[in-house]
Amino acid sequence: MIPSIAPRIALVVLMLAACSIAHVGQPTPSPATAPSPSTEPPPQPTPTEDVAVGTEPPDGTLRADGAAVAGQHGSYCFADTCADIGGWPNKPDLPLVEVSAADQQLEFALPDSVQFVEWHASYSASSNGEANDLAEGGNGYDPDKSYASPWPATSSVTFDSPPAGDWVVYVSVYFDGGDLSYAWHVIVG
């Protein structure tokens, strides 16, 4: 009896895997981004007018003490392609950023052609540990609120570094139709 159950279980597992793969690359629209019937929302910033479908996401850099370091790509939706990494690499395997003092400002930047309207920075003691907020800014456009307007788009932001210690710093950015996330191993002196 057990040998006949094994093929059925394998078939169910394969069907579930196929269903989850079918949704990769298909971002789900949120109600907040759908225009209301009576008003047209103002145009939102897009990653870039010249980005081709399937294009890899751009490198995001974290600058400290004059050095800019490209971050580890995380989950993203960019140029009609989505990817979910499932977990970050261990802290020593992330790109290293050294910060001389805890009162330093960090600068996160994308290429000028990729602008975002919201962002969030956080830090954690380990790669997949509980994160502490560092800073955030911007807001998206909600057409259901008459007073709402989008935050001016930008390709870079600055924020305070985490306290002295050995950390993982995460930055996530959001734009119309997508998001990007990055991580670094950051040692603050």
Side-chain angles (χ1 to χ4, degrees), residues 15-164:
M15 290 172 60
L16 289 172
C19 289
S20 68
I21 290 172
H23 294 291
V24 172
Q26 307 261 335
T28 10
S30 75
T33 59
S36 64
S38 61
T39 62
E40 272 302 306
Q44 289 286 294
T46 58
T48 178
E49 298 299 322
D50 300 326
V51 172
V53 171
T55 300
E56 288 291 316
D59 285 337
T61 59
L62 191 63
R63 179 180 298 276
D65 293 332
V69 177
Q72 171 72 46
H73 288 278
S75 298
Y76 66 89
C77 282
F78 183 77
D80 292 332
T81 302
C82 294
D84 188 359
I85 64 161
W88 292 101
N90 292 325
K91 181 169 38 176
D93 298 328
L94 292 170
L96 179 63
V97 175
E98 296 183 87
V99 183
S100 59
D103 63 351
Q104 288 274 337
Q105 288 279 300
L106 302 177
E107 178 187 20
F108 170 79
L110 291 174
D112 287 339
S113 62
V114 182
Q115 296 194 332
F116 51 92
V117 294
E118 289 184 68
W119 62 277
H120 182 260
S122 59
Y123 70 102
S124 177
S126 65
S127 294
N128 293 295
E130 186 174 334
N132 302 293
D133 291 336
L134 270 174
E136 60 184 14
N139 63 2
Y141 176 77
D142 184 350
D144 295 330
K145 296 181 180 174
S146 61
Y147 60 85
S149 61
W151 186 62
T154 187
S155 60
S156 67
V157 292
T158 58
F159 53 92
D160 292 335
S161 72

